Amino acid sequence: AVVAGLFQNYGRKGWDFLDVGCGTCEGASIVSNMGGITGIDMSDEALSIAKNKGYVSLCKGSGERLPFAEKIFDSLIMLDVLEHIDDDRATLNECFRVLKPSGTIFITVPAHQWLWSGHDEVLGHKRRYQKSKLLEKTKQAGFEIIFCSYYFSFTFPAVILFRLIEKLVRNKKSSHFFHIPRWFNITLLFFMRCEGHLLKLGLPTPFGSSLILVARRHTD
């Protein structure tokens, strides 16, 4: 819900999208009704799942070396992908290369290195991002920043508490996926929709456990 609102603001129908690290196919669920979407991922399993999710084409590959010609996509999507890649600067450079002039990129990443935990290790993260560092790397690749904000702000206090407890019990490598009551899940979804509306209105939130960034390739 958070990301979808920004797509409505900055996306356009009829665009050709590239979903870098298509993974869970969240990109296809957001933009499949807006235009054609191509997916790329290093995982054979992810590509197999993506076959039935609305992608017009799929290929195996890495964001550090995209197997596409220059300036062919209207928009790129990288949703919780950049933190998995060794060379994030090279990946941003590649994204810039394959975007058309005035093309738009949507990026989400986990925020705050001080929130690093065993959960990040289990998920294969290389890093978490400070807002200033994400902006710096994106600008260095040649992009013009349109919008950047923290999100998951309503759950941020709970995340901090959970991380502190984890550090106290010294549980270094564990994932935090667990069953939550239906009522609590409904409450979280309500707050996420509220947050999505705020971001859609162009109102960034000053804190949160993740970051979302929208940037544009300048016209040549």
Side-chain angles (χ1 to χ4, degrees):
V2 175
V3 181
L6 286 179
F7 271 101
Q8 292 176 20
N9 277 8
Y10 302 111
R12 297 290 183 273
K13 283 191 177 293
W15 274 4
D16 288 322
F17 294 89
L18 174 64
D19 188 355
V20 180
C22 56
T24 60
C25 308
E26 183 181 358
S29 67
I30 294 172
V31 304
S32 59
N33 64 335
M34 298 180 68
I37 180 168
T38 298
I40 181 170
D41 203 288
M42 288 292 293
S43 166
D44 291 322
E45 183 179 1
L47 293 172
S48 177
I49 294 171
K51 282 183 180 180
N52 300 316
K53 297 292 183 178
Y55 291 91
V56 295
S57 63
L58 292 163
C59 67
K60 187 173 183 178
S62 168
E64 293 164 300
R65 183 173 290 185
L66 294 172
F68 305 106
E70 295 183 6
K71 305 177 185 178
I72 63 169
F73 292 103
D74 296 295
S75 183
L76 265 68
I77 310 162
M78 279 201 299
L79 305 180
D80 293 331
V81 171
L82 200 59
E83 68 273 12
H84 292 273
I85 299 176
D86 287 318
D87 194 341
D88 55 352
R89 292 181 187 272
T91 299
L92 289 168
N93 289 336
E94 278 290 273
C95 290
F96 185 87
R97 181 183 65 81
V98 302
L99 266 180
K100 295 177 182 178
S102 297
T104 305
I105 186 169
F106 297 83
I107 300 172
T108 63
V109 292
H112 304 302
Q113 187 62 29
W114 54 267
L115 282 178
W116 183 270
S117 72
H119 185 66
D120 293 284
E121 295 181 32
V122 169
L123 293 179
H125 293 173
K126 308 296 183 183
R127 68 196 75 78
R128 300 178 71 94
Y129 287 85
Q130 293 304 121
K131 184 177 181 180
S132 59
K133 184 61 67 173
L134 179 63
L135 289 170
E136 174 194 330
K137 291 184 177 184
T138 307
K139 289 176 181 177
Q140 287 178 347
F143 288 101
E144 170 194 353
I145 306 300
I146 300 175
F147 182 84
C148 187
S149 175
Y150 291 103
Y151 70 105
F152 290 141
S153 56
F154 292 103
T155 58
F156 192 46
V159 171
I160 294 174
L161 179 61
F162 201 95
R163 293 294 193 267
L164 289 174
I165 293 172
E166 183 189 47
K167 291 181 187 298
L168 287 173
V169 300
R170 300 183 182 279
N171 190 3
K172 296 298 184 181
K173 276 198 175 185
S174 63
S175 174
H176 303 158
F177 296 114
F178 49 85
H179 177 74
I180 60 176
R182 184 172 180 272
W183 67 265
F184 188 65
N185 190 49
I186 292 172
T187 303
L188 288 178
L189 288 173
F190 170 76
F191 282 121
M192 286 176 63
R193 290 192 182 98
C194 291
E195 188 173 36
H197 285 304
L198 290 175
L199 295 180
K200 186 179 178 182
L201 291 172
L203 301 173
T205 55
F207 55 87
S209 58
S210 290
L211 281 160
I212 185 164
L213 179 144
V214 186
R216 179 186 295 120
R217 175 174 176 154
H218 56 73
T219 55
D220 295 343

